[in-house]
Amino acid sequence: MPAGAVIIGAGQAGFEAAASLRSAGYGEHVTLVGEEPHLPYKRPPLSKGFVLDKQGMDEIELRPAAFYDHHRVEMIAGERVVDVDRRERRVRLASGRAIAYDALVLAVGARNRSLPVDGAELDGVLYLRTLDESREIKSRLQDAKDVAVIGGGFIGLELAAVARSLGKSVTVLEAQPRLMPRVVAPVISQFYRELHASRGVNVLCGATVSEICGAAGKVHSVLTAGGHAFPADVVLVGIGVVPNVELAQGMGLTVGNGIVVDEQLRTTDPAIYAVGDCADHPNAFAGGRVRLESVQNACDQARCAAAAIAGHSAPYAAVPWFWTDQFDIRLQMAGLSQRHDLTVIRGNAELQKFSVFYFRGPDLIAVDSINRPADHMTARRLLAAHAAVTPDDVADESVDLKRLVR
Amino acid sequence: MREEFLGRLPPIKDTEKSVIEVTNAERLPNSRLSCQIKMTDDLDGLTIDVPPSQR
Protein backbone atom coordinates (compact mmCIF):
# COMPACT_ATOMS: atom_id res chain seq x y z
CA MET A 1 0.00 0.00 0.00
CA PRO A 2 1.40 3.45 -0.85
CA ALA A 3 2.35 5.50 2.18
CA GLY A 4 1.60 8.86 0.59
CA ALA A 5 3.20 12.25 0.97
CA VAL A 6 4.37 13.94 4.16
CA ILE A 7 5.03 17.67 4.28
CA ILE A 8 7.13 19.06 7.13
CA GLY A 9 6.32 22.69 7.83
CA ALA A 10 2.85 24.25 7.61
CA GLY A 11 3.70 27.76 6.50
CA GLN A 12 2.76 29.16 3.11
CA ALA A 13 4.97 26.65 1.24
CA GLY A 14 3.85 23.60 3.21
CA PHE A 15 0.20 24.49 2.91
CA GLU A 16 0.51 25.15 -0.80
CA ALA A 17 2.26 21.81 -1.32
CA ALA A 18 -0.62 19.98 0.38
CA ALA A 19 -3.32 21.85 -1.54
CA SER A 20 -1.43 21.51 -4.83
CA LEU A 21 -0.98 17.76 -4.42
CA ARG A 22 -4.75 17.48 -4.41
CA SER A 23 -5.31 19.87 -7.29
CA ALA A 24 -2.65 17.96 -9.26
CA GLY A 25 -4.74 14.81 -8.79
CA TYR A 26 -2.60 13.08 -6.16
CA GLY A 27 -4.81 10.45 -4.56
CA GLU A 28 -2.66 9.05 -1.74
CA HIS A 29 -2.51 10.10 1.87
CA VAL A 30 -1.29 13.67 2.49
CA THR A 31 0.00 14.67 5.93
CA LEU A 32 0.98 18.23 6.83
CA VAL A 33 2.96 18.67 10.06
CA GLY A 34 3.43 22.14 11.58
CA GLU A 35 5.16 23.26 14.76
CA GLU A 36 2.81 26.14 15.49
CA PRO A 37 -0.50 25.47 17.25
CA HIS A 38 -2.50 27.07 14.41
CA LEU A 39 -3.96 26.17 11.06
CA PRO A 40 -1.76 27.45 8.22
CA TYR A 41 -2.00 31.22 7.89
CA LYS A 42 -0.58 34.10 5.85
CA ARG A 43 2.49 35.79 7.24
CA PRO A 44 2.51 39.04 5.21
CA PRO A 45 -0.33 40.71 7.18
CA LEU A 46 1.53 40.08 10.46
CA SER A 47 3.74 43.13 9.87
CA LYS A 48 0.92 45.22 8.38
CA GLY A 49 -2.87 45.02 8.62
CA PHE A 50 -3.03 42.45 11.40
CA VAL A 51 -1.12 44.67 13.85
CA LEU A 52 -3.36 47.59 12.90
CA ASP A 53 -6.50 45.46 13.41
CA LYS A 54 -7.42 46.02 9.77
CA GLN A 55 -7.30 42.29 9.14
CA GLY A 56 -8.71 39.69 11.49
CA MET A 57 -8.09 35.96 11.85
CA ASP A 58 -10.65 35.11 9.18
CA GLU A 59 -8.54 36.99 6.63
CA ILE A 60 -5.30 35.50 7.86
CA GLU A 61 -6.09 31.80 7.81
CA LEU A 62 -5.22 30.34 4.43
CA ARG A 63 -8.28 28.05 4.53
CA PRO A 64 -10.97 27.29 7.08
CA ALA A 65 -10.71 24.05 9.08
CA ALA A 66 -13.25 22.32 6.84
CA PHE A 67 -10.85 22.54 3.89
CA TYR A 68 -8.51 19.94 5.38
CA ASP A 69 -11.23 17.32 5.88
CA HIS A 70 -12.76 18.03 2.52
CA HIS A 71 -9.47 17.58 0.68
CA ARG A 72 -8.29 14.74 2.89
CA VAL A 73 -5.24 16.57 4.18
CA GLU A 74 -4.28 15.33 7.63
CA MET A 75 -3.23 18.50 9.43
CA ILE A 76 -1.05 17.91 12.50
CA ALA A 77 -0.57 21.26 14.24
CA GLY A 78 1.69 21.97 17.22
CA GLU A 79 3.95 18.99 16.54
CA ARG A 80 7.65 18.86 15.88
CA VAL A 81 9.47 16.40 13.68
CA VAL A 82 12.46 14.99 15.56
CA ASP A 83 14.02 12.87 12.86
CA VAL A 84 13.54 11.23 9.51
CA ASP A 85 14.69 7.72 8.70
CA ARG A 86 15.41 7.93 4.99
CA ARG A 87 16.03 4.21 4.54
CA GLU A 88 12.73 3.27 6.11
CA ARG A 89 11.10 6.41 4.71
CA ARG A 90 9.59 7.32 8.04
CA VAL A 91 9.13 10.63 9.87
CA ARG A 92 9.16 10.59 13.66
CA LEU A 93 7.30 13.25 15.66
CA ALA A 94 8.15 14.54 19.14
CA SER A 95 5.04 12.76 20.44
CA GLY A 96 6.59 9.47 19.32
CA ARG A 97 4.25 8.93 16.39
CA ALA A 98 5.87 7.64 13.18
CA ILE A 99 4.52 8.45 9.72
CA ALA A 100 5.66 6.60 6.60
CA TYR A 101 6.11 8.40 3.29
CA ASP A 102 6.76 7.76 -0.38
CA ALA A 103 7.50 11.43 -0.98
CA LEU A 104 8.64 13.95 1.61
CA VAL A 105 8.52 17.73 1.27
CA LEU A 106 10.70 19.87 3.54
CA ALA A 107 8.98 23.24 3.88
CA VAL A 108 10.77 24.04 7.11
CA GLY A 109 11.31 27.76 6.46
CA ALA A 110 13.71 30.04 8.22
CA ARG A 111 14.06 31.65 11.63
CA ASN A 112 14.96 35.16 12.66
CA ARG A 113 18.56 36.12 13.02
CA SER A 114 19.19 37.13 16.64
CA LEU A 115 20.69 40.46 17.50
CA PRO A 116 24.24 39.64 18.67
CA VAL A 117 24.64 42.38 21.29
CA ASP A 118 24.41 42.71 25.06
CA GLY A 119 20.90 43.32 26.29
CA ALA A 120 19.21 41.56 23.38
CA GLU A 121 17.51 39.25 25.91
CA LEU A 122 15.79 42.11 27.76
CA ASP A 123 12.02 42.18 28.06
CA GLY A 124 10.58 44.36 25.28
CA VAL A 125 13.00 43.23 22.57
CA LEU A 126 10.73 41.57 20.03
CA TYR A 127 11.05 39.67 16.76
CA LEU A 128 8.41 38.88 14.17
CA ARG A 129 7.78 35.74 12.24
CA THR A 130 4.79 33.97 13.76
CA LEU A 131 1.18 34.84 14.47
CA ASP A 132 1.85 34.67 18.22
CA GLU A 133 4.77 37.08 17.87
CA SER A 134 2.60 39.48 15.88
CA ARG A 135 -0.04 39.36 18.62
CA GLU A 136 2.67 40.08 21.18
CA ILE A 137 3.88 43.09 19.19
CA LYS A 138 0.32 44.36 18.80
CA SER A 139 -0.26 44.14 22.53
CA ARG A 140 3.13 45.67 23.49
CA LEU A 141 2.67 48.58 21.10
CA GLN A 142 -0.54 49.61 22.87
CA ASP A 143 1.27 51.00 25.91
CA ALA A 144 4.52 51.90 24.18
CA LYS A 145 5.67 55.47 23.64
CA ASP A 146 9.08 55.10 22.03
CA VAL A 147 9.75 52.35 19.53
CA ALA A 148 13.18 51.50 18.13
CA VAL A 149 13.29 49.39 14.98
CA ILE A 150 16.58 47.63 14.32
CA GLY A 151 16.97 46.83 10.63
CA GLY A 152 15.74 48.89 7.68
CA GLY A 153 14.57 45.99 5.52
CA PHE A 154 11.00 45.05 4.60
CA ILE A 155 9.97 43.76 8.03
CA GLY A 156 11.60 46.60 9.96
CA LEU A 157 10.16 49.32 7.74
CA GLU A 158 6.68 47.79 7.63
CA LEU A 159 6.65 47.59 11.41
CA ALA A 160 8.01 51.13 11.65
CA ALA A 161 5.15 52.35 9.44
CA VAL A 162 2.64 50.45 11.56
CA ALA A 163 4.03 51.78 14.86
CA ARG A 164 4.08 55.33 13.49
CA SER A 165 0.49 54.96 12.28
CA LEU A 166 -0.38 54.03 15.85
CA GLY A 167 1.10 57.35 16.97
CA LYS A 168 4.35 56.04 18.44
CA SER A 169 7.63 57.89 18.35
CA VAL A 170 9.66 55.66 15.99
CA THR A 171 13.38 55.41 15.22
CA VAL A 172 14.74 53.08 12.53
CA LEU A 173 18.38 52.03 12.84
CA GLU A 174 19.91 50.52 9.69
CA ALA A 175 23.55 49.43 9.72
CA GLN A 176 24.05 49.86 5.95
CA PRO A 177 24.28 53.31 4.33
CA ARG A 178 20.75 53.02 2.86
CA LEU A 179 17.40 51.29 3.41
CA MET A 180 16.62 47.85 1.94
CA PRO A 181 20.17 47.74 0.47
CA ARG A 182 20.10 44.09 -0.53
CA VAL A 183 17.02 44.39 -2.72
CA VAL A 184 16.42 47.81 -4.27
CA ALA A 185 18.29 50.53 -6.17
CA PRO A 186 19.48 53.64 -4.30
CA VAL A 187 16.67 55.74 -5.85
CA ILE A 188 14.08 53.51 -4.13
CA SER A 189 16.01 53.51 -0.87
CA GLN A 190 16.03 57.31 -0.98
CA PHE A 191 12.31 57.43 -1.78
CA TYR A 192 11.56 55.31 1.30
CA ARG A 193 13.87 57.31 3.50
CA GLU A 194 11.97 60.47 2.54
CA LEU A 195 8.60 58.74 2.85
CA HIS A 196 9.31 57.61 6.41
CA ALA A 197 10.82 60.97 7.35
CA SER A 198 7.76 62.80 5.95
CA ARG A 199 5.52 60.70 8.20
CA GLY A 200 7.62 61.46 11.23
CA VAL A 201 9.81 58.38 11.48
CA ASN A 202 13.39 59.07 12.56
CA VAL A 203 15.47 57.10 10.05
CA LEU A 204 19.20 56.57 10.66
CA CYS A 205 21.38 54.71 8.16
CA GLY A 206 24.92 53.61 8.91
CA ALA A 207 23.84 53.15 12.51
CA THR A 208 25.19 49.98 14.10
CA VAL A 209 23.57 48.91 17.34
CA SER A 210 26.15 48.15 20.02
CA GLU A 211 23.99 47.46 23.06
CA ILE A 212 20.43 47.30 24.33
CA CYS A 213 20.12 48.91 27.74
CA GLY A 214 17.51 48.30 30.37
CA ALA A 215 16.61 48.36 34.03
CA ALA A 216 15.02 45.63 36.12
CA GLY A 217 15.14 43.31 33.12
CA LYS A 218 13.18 45.66 30.89
CA VAL A 219 14.53 47.56 27.88
CA HIS A 220 14.72 51.36 28.06
CA SER A 221 17.09 52.38 25.26
CA VAL A 222 19.23 51.33 22.32
CA LEU A 223 22.90 52.37 22.05
CA THR A 224 24.68 52.74 18.71
CA ALA A 225 28.39 52.34 17.96
CA GLY A 226 28.46 56.09 17.30
CA GLY A 227 27.61 56.63 20.97
CA HIS A 228 24.01 57.76 20.59
CA ALA A 229 21.25 56.48 22.85
CA PHE A 230 17.67 56.15 21.63
CA PRO A 231 14.91 55.70 24.18
CA ALA A 232 12.73 52.67 23.55
CA ASP A 233 10.13 50.77 25.53
CA VAL A 234 9.71 48.42 22.60
CA VAL A 235 12.55 47.29 20.32
CA LEU A 236 11.55 45.53 17.10
CA VAL A 237 14.35 43.53 15.48
CA GLY A 238 14.25 42.68 11.77
CA ILE A 239 17.77 41.84 10.67
CA GLY A 240 17.14 38.91 8.39
CA VAL A 241 16.67 35.18 8.75
CA VAL A 242 18.67 31.98 8.71
CA PRO A 243 17.29 28.91 6.95
CA ASN A 244 16.29 25.92 9.08
CA VAL A 245 18.73 23.34 7.76
CA GLU A 246 19.40 21.31 10.89
CA LEU A 247 16.81 18.58 10.24
CA ALA A 248 18.07 18.09 6.67
CA GLN A 249 21.65 18.11 7.92
CA GLY A 250 20.82 15.42 10.43
CA MET A 251 19.26 13.38 7.63
CA GLY A 252 22.52 13.52 5.69
CA LEU A 253 21.15 15.73 2.91
CA THR A 254 23.44 18.28 1.27
CA VAL A 255 23.12 21.75 2.77
CA GLY A 256 24.55 25.05 1.54
CA ASN A 257 22.83 28.40 1.95
CA GLY A 258 19.72 26.35 2.74
CA ILE A 259 18.77 22.82 1.76
CA VAL A 260 20.36 22.14 -1.61
CA VAL A 261 17.91 21.13 -4.35
CA ASP A 262 18.11 20.67 -8.13
CA GLU A 263 15.98 22.24 -10.90
CA GLN A 264 13.12 19.92 -9.92
CA LEU A 265 13.45 21.01 -6.25
CA ARG A 266 14.71 17.55 -5.31
CA THR A 267 17.24 17.26 -2.52
CA THR A 268 20.15 14.82 -2.76
CA ASP A 269 17.56 12.13 -1.88
CA PRO A 270 15.19 11.87 -4.89
CA ALA A 271 12.21 11.04 -2.66
CA ILE A 272 12.67 14.30 -0.76
CA TYR A 273 11.94 17.83 -1.97
CA ALA A 274 12.66 21.18 -0.31
CA VAL A 275 10.59 24.29 -1.05
CA GLY A 276 10.21 27.88 0.11
CA ASP A 277 12.49 29.91 2.37
CA CYS A 278 14.70 26.91 3.17
CA ALA A 279 15.48 25.85 -0.41
CA ASP A 280 18.88 26.68 -1.94
CA HIS A 281 17.89 26.26 -5.58
CA PRO A 282 19.25 27.01 -9.06
CA ASN A 283 17.43 30.03 -10.45
CA ALA A 284 17.99 31.48 -13.94
CA PHE A 285 16.85 34.92 -12.72
CA ALA A 286 19.60 34.90 -10.10
CA GLY A 287 22.21 33.61 -12.54
CA GLY A 288 23.01 30.81 -10.13
CA ARG A 289 21.92 29.31 -6.84
CA VAL A 290 19.76 31.39 -4.54
CA ARG A 291 17.45 31.15 -1.58
CA LEU A 292 14.37 33.37 -1.82
CA GLU A 293 12.14 34.48 1.03
CA SER A 294 8.78 35.30 -0.50
CA VAL A 295 5.19 34.18 -0.85
CA GLN A 296 5.65 33.79 -4.61
CA ASN A 297 8.65 31.52 -4.21
CA ALA A 298 6.95 29.48 -1.48
CA CYS A 299 3.79 28.96 -3.54
CA ASP A 300 5.37 28.36 -6.93
CA GLN A 301 7.99 25.97 -5.58
CA ALA A 302 5.36 24.09 -3.60
CA ARG A 303 3.23 23.72 -6.74
CA CYS A 304 6.24 22.57 -8.73
CA ALA A 305 7.21 19.92 -6.15
CA ALA A 306 3.60 18.79 -5.76
CA ALA A 307 3.26 18.40 -9.53
CA ALA A 308 6.43 16.29 -9.60
CA ILE A 309 5.13 14.06 -6.80
CA ALA A 310 1.86 13.68 -8.70
CA GLY A 311 3.84 12.61 -11.78
CA HIS A 312 4.07 15.87 -13.75
CA SER A 313 7.66 16.88 -13.22
CA ALA A 314 8.85 20.23 -14.65
CA PRO A 315 11.78 22.46 -13.77
CA TYR A 316 11.15 25.42 -11.49
CA ALA A 317 11.33 28.57 -13.65
CA ALA A 318 8.90 31.09 -12.15
CA VAL A 319 9.64 34.82 -12.24
CA PRO A 320 10.44 35.94 -8.68
CA TRP A 321 8.24 38.71 -7.32
CA PHE A 322 7.81 40.45 -3.98
CA TRP A 323 5.95 43.32 -2.44
CA THR A 324 5.97 45.58 0.59
CA ASP A 325 3.27 47.92 1.90
CA GLN A 326 4.46 50.86 4.00
CA PHE A 327 1.98 53.56 4.97
CA ASP A 328 -0.20 53.96 1.86
CA ILE A 329 2.60 53.15 -0.58
CA ARG A 330 2.97 49.81 -2.32
CA LEU A 331 6.28 48.66 -3.75
CA GLN A 332 6.09 45.65 -6.07
CA MET A 333 9.24 43.98 -7.30
CA ALA A 334 9.61 41.56 -10.24
CA GLY A 335 12.79 39.72 -11.11
CA LEU A 336 16.06 39.87 -9.15
CA SER A 337 17.87 43.18 -9.53
CA GLN A 338 21.13 42.47 -7.66
CA ARG A 339 23.29 41.95 -10.77
CA HIS A 340 22.17 45.09 -12.66
CA ASP A 341 24.53 47.56 -14.32
CA LEU A 342 21.96 50.12 -15.48
CA THR A 343 18.71 51.52 -14.11
CA VAL A 344 16.05 53.47 -16.02
CA ILE A 345 13.11 55.24 -14.40
CA ARG A 346 9.63 55.29 -15.90
CA GLY A 347 7.02 57.56 -14.37
CA ASN A 348 7.32 60.35 -11.86
CA ALA A 349 8.99 59.95 -8.49
CA GLU A 350 7.56 63.26 -7.27
CA LEU A 351 4.03 62.00 -7.84
CA GLN A 352 4.98 58.82 -5.92
CA LYS A 353 4.21 56.74 -9.00
CA PHE A 354 7.23 55.35 -10.79
CA SER A 355 9.09 52.19 -11.71
CA VAL A 356 12.79 51.42 -11.82
CA PHE A 357 13.81 49.07 -14.64
CA TYR A 358 17.06 47.18 -14.06
CA PHE A 359 19.22 46.06 -16.97
CA ARG A 360 22.23 43.79 -17.10
CA GLY A 361 23.91 44.40 -20.42
CA PRO A 362 21.10 44.37 -23.01
CA ASP A 363 18.74 42.33 -20.81
CA LEU A 364 15.94 43.54 -18.59
CA ILE A 365 16.40 41.63 -15.31
CA ALA A 366 14.06 43.29 -12.82
CA VAL A 367 11.50 46.03 -12.29
CA ASP A 368 10.54 47.74 -9.01
CA SER A 369 7.22 49.61 -9.15
CA ILE A 370 5.92 52.15 -6.69
CA ASN A 371 2.17 52.62 -6.98
CA ARG A 372 2.30 51.41 -10.61
CA PRO A 373 0.69 47.95 -10.43
CA ALA A 374 0.24 47.73 -14.19
CA ASP A 375 4.01 48.16 -14.66
CA HIS A 376 4.54 45.33 -12.21
CA MET A 377 2.15 42.97 -13.97
CA THR A 378 3.66 43.89 -17.33
CA ALA A 379 7.17 43.36 -15.94
CA ARG A 380 6.31 39.86 -14.77
CA ARG A 381 5.15 38.99 -18.27
CA LEU A 382 8.13 40.66 -19.96
CA LEU A 383 10.54 38.79 -17.69
CA ALA A 384 8.77 35.45 -18.13
CA ALA A 385 8.86 35.86 -21.92
CA HIS A 386 12.50 37.08 -21.88
CA ALA A 387 11.15 39.87 -24.07
CA ALA A 388 13.47 42.26 -25.87
CA VAL A 389 13.04 45.58 -24.05
CA THR A 390 15.49 48.44 -24.43
CA PRO A 391 16.28 51.28 -22.00
CA ASP A 392 14.83 53.64 -24.64
CA ASP A 393 11.51 51.75 -24.66
CA VAL A 394 11.35 52.09 -20.90
CA ALA A 395 12.22 55.78 -20.78
CA ASP A 396 9.54 56.62 -23.37
CA GLU A 397 6.13 56.50 -21.72
CA SER A 398 4.45 56.51 -25.13
CA VAL A 399 5.85 53.00 -25.75
CA ASP A 400 3.27 50.44 -24.67
CA LEU A 401 5.50 47.87 -22.95
CA LYS A 402 2.94 45.11 -22.88
CA ARG A 403 3.08 45.03 -26.69
CA LEU A 404 6.67 43.84 -26.36
CA VAL A 405 5.67 40.69 -24.51
CA ARG A 406 5.27 38.55 -27.63
CA MET B 1 -18.70 38.26 -15.17
CA ARG B 2 -22.03 37.29 -16.68
CA GLU B 3 -23.99 40.37 -17.72
CA GLU B 4 -26.83 39.99 -15.23
CA PHE B 5 -24.41 40.52 -12.31
CA LEU B 6 -22.40 43.43 -13.67
CA GLY B 7 -24.68 46.06 -12.14
CA ARG B 8 -24.41 44.52 -8.67
CA LEU B 9 -20.63 44.68 -8.55
CA PRO B 10 -18.65 47.53 -6.99
CA PRO B 11 -17.48 50.02 -9.64
CA ILE B 12 -14.08 49.41 -11.18
CA LYS B 13 -11.32 51.55 -9.64
CA ASP B 14 -8.31 53.07 -11.43
CA THR B 15 -5.83 50.50 -10.14
CA GLU B 16 -8.02 47.60 -11.22
CA LYS B 17 -8.55 49.25 -14.58
CA SER B 18 -4.81 49.59 -15.19
CA VAL B 19 -3.99 46.05 -14.07
CA ILE B 20 -6.79 44.39 -16.02
CA GLU B 21 -5.36 45.90 -19.20
CA VAL B 22 -2.17 43.87 -18.85
CA THR B 23 -3.56 40.44 -18.00
CA ASN B 24 -2.74 37.43 -20.12
CA ALA B 25 -6.19 36.96 -21.62
CA GLU B 26 -7.75 39.72 -23.68
CA ARG B 27 -9.81 42.17 -21.68
CA LEU B 28 -13.56 42.02 -22.40
CA PRO B 29 -16.17 44.67 -21.51
CA ASN B 30 -17.35 42.44 -18.65
CA SER B 31 -13.85 41.53 -17.35
CA ARG B 32 -13.13 42.08 -13.66
CA LEU B 33 -10.40 41.04 -11.26
CA SER B 34 -11.86 38.53 -8.85
CA CYS B 35 -9.71 39.83 -6.00
CA GLN B 36 -11.63 43.12 -6.17
CA ILE B 37 -15.03 41.47 -5.69
CA LYS B 38 -16.12 40.97 -2.11
CA MET B 39 -18.74 38.25 -1.84
CA THR B 40 -22.08 39.39 -0.45
CA ASP B 41 -25.55 37.82 -0.23
CA ASP B 42 -26.52 39.97 -3.17
CA LEU B 43 -24.03 38.08 -5.33
CA ASP B 44 -25.52 34.66 -4.55
CA GLY B 45 -25.49 32.71 -7.79
CA LEU B 46 -22.76 34.82 -9.36
CA THR B 47 -21.55 33.14 -12.54
CA ILE B 48 -18.13 33.86 -13.99
CA ASP B 49 -16.08 32.66 -16.92
CA VAL B 50 -12.40 32.26 -16.08
CA PRO B 51 -9.71 32.94 -18.68
CA PRO B 52 -8.01 29.93 -20.29
CA SER B 53 -4.70 31.06 -18.84
CA GLN B 54 -3.61 33.53 -16.19
CA ARG B 55 0.12 33.56 -16.66
Side-chain angles (χ1 to χ4, degrees):
Chain A
M1 205 182 88
V6 174
I7 301 155
I8 305 178
Q12 185 90 51
F15 168 80
E16 195 65 34
S20 301
L21 278 168
R22 288 295 179 238
S23 45
Y26 187 74
E28 311 304 335
H29 203 85
V30 173
T31 310
L32 180 56
V33 188
E35 259 181 35
E36 293 180 54
H38 307 289
L39 287 178
Y41 60 86
K42 303 173 191 169
R43 294 198 199 280
L46 301 183
S47 52
K48 312 177 188 85
F50 186 70
V51 188
L52 290 170
D53 269 333
K54 285 185 180 165
Q55 280 165 297
M57 273 311 292
D58 55 327
E59 288 172 80
I60 290 217
E61 272 185 352
L62 282 160
R63 293 291 188 282
F67 174 90
Y68 301 88
D69 289 339
H70 186 76
H71 291 277
R72 295 179 300 114
V73 171
E74 185 185 353
M75 175 68 219
I76 303 177
E79 266 267 33
R80 229 170 58 78
V81 170
V82 286
D83 63 46
V84 175
D85 183 334
R86 294 204 282 132
R87 232 179 27 190
E88 297 290 322
R89 292 199 176 168
R90 209 164 36 211
V91 169
R92 201 162 54 86
L93 306 182
S95 61
R97 183 177 162 189
I99 310 168
Y101 66 84
D102 304 311
L104 180 66
V105 179
L106 301 175
V108 293
R111 59 179 178 274
N112 284 314
R113 192 182 295 279
S114 310
L115 191 65
V117 302
D118 286 345
E121 73 295 338
L122 286 166
D123 184 54
V125 179
L126 307 173
Y127 294 79
L128 174 60
R129 183 165 185 93
T130 65
L131 176 60
D132 294 346
E133 286 169 332
S134 182
R135 285 178 167 149
E136 176 73 10
I137 288 173
K138 192 198 295 199
S139 119
R140 295 285 189 122
L141 281 178
Q142 274 174 2
D143 306 318
K145 187 172 146 291
D146 297 302
V147 176
V149 175
I150 300 177
F154 293 154
I155 295 282
L157 292 174
E158 287 172 3
L159 287 173
V162 161
R164 185 67 200 129
S165 305
L166 293 170
K168 311 302 169 189
S169 165
V170 181
T171 299
V172 174
L173 302 167
E174 165 59 48
Q176 298 298 312
R178 60 187 182 90
L179 299 175
M180 304 181 279
R182 287 188 309 140
V183 277
V184 299
V187 59
I188 305 246
S189 297
Q190 187 56 30
F191 175 88
Y192 274 89
R193 193 175 179 149
E194 286 165 16
L195 170 70
H196 279 265
S198 75
R199 308 293 171 100
V201 177
N202 183 24
V203 180
L204 288 117
C205 292
T208 306
V209 171
S210 56
E211 190 181 345
I212 312 274
C213 307
K218 202 174 164 359
V219 65
H220 66 54
S221 60
V222 175
L223 269 186
T224 62
H228 296 279
F230 299 91
D233 21 43
V234 167
V235 175
L236 303 172
V237 185
I239 53 170
V241 300
V242 286
N244 293 324
V245 297
E246 290 76 5
L247 180 67
Q249 225 155 18
M251 291 160 63
L253 301 174
T254 302
V255 159
N257 172 32
I259 304 168
V260 169
V261 294
D262 64 13
E263 291 80 359
Q264 323 278 332
L265 307 175
R266 278 193 168 95
T267 66
T268 38
D269 179 333
I272 305 177
Y273 297 76
V275 297
D277 288 10
C278 68
D280 172 347
H281 67 280
N283 189 312
F285 294 95
R289 291 196 153 269
V290 72
R291 200 174 55 70
L292 296 174
E293 299 151 13
S294 71
V295 171
Q296 171 277 320
N297 184 65
C299 289
D300 286 339
Q301 288 196 335
R303 286 181 201 128
C304 184
I309 292 166
H312 322 290
S313 178
Y316 177 68
V319 177
W321 56 266
F322 316 81
W323 81 95
T324 175
D325 292 331
Q326 296 170 34
F327 298 107
D328 47 354
I329 305 286
R330 169 164 289 191
L331 169 62
Q332 294 169 294
M333 294 146 276
L336 300 174
S337 62
Q338 282 78 2
R339 298 181 307 135
H340 75 273
D341 48 35
L342 174 73
T343 58
V344 180
I345 293 176
R346 188 173 171 94
N348 188 327
E350 250 121 70
L351 296 177
Q352 304 196 325
K353 281 177 195 277
F354 67 104
S355 296
V356 178
F357 286 66
Y358 299 81
F359 289 87
R360 176 180 169 81
D363 301 322
L364 177 69
I365 59 165
V367 180
D368 292 346
S369 303
I370 290 177
N371 291 336
R372 302 246 309 187
D375 278 0
H376 174 70
M377 296 308 293
T378 305
R380 280 160 57 174
R381 297 184 58 200
L382 289 168
L383 292 166
H386 301 286
V389 187
T390 67
D392 287 345
D393 293 332
V394 170
D396 182 351
E397 283 238 49
S398 70
V399 175
D400 183 0
L401 297 180
K402 69 174 183 287
R403 295 197 175 280
L404 304 174
V405 169
R406 275 179 269 269
Chain B
M1 299 292 165
R2 295 285 171 84
E3 304 290 341
E4 60 269 33
F5 283 95
L6 280 181
R8 294 190 223 169
L9 300 175
I12 190 160
K13 289 188 192 149
D14 282 352
T15 305
E16 182 180 352
K17 203 183 283 176
S18 66
V19 170
I20 210 166
E21 291 293 344
V22 295
T23 51
N24 211 4
E26 190 197 349
R27 189 204 165 163
L28 304 173
N30 55 336
S31 293
R32 292 297 303 264
L33 294 181
S34 61
C35 59
Q36 299 303 306
I37 313 275
K38 203 158 193 156
M39 283 306 290
T40 61
D41 288 343
D42 193 41
L43 294 178
D44 190 14
L46 178 71
T47 306
I48 62 173
D49 298 287
V50 295
S53 157
Q54 298 190 41
R55 52 175 76 203

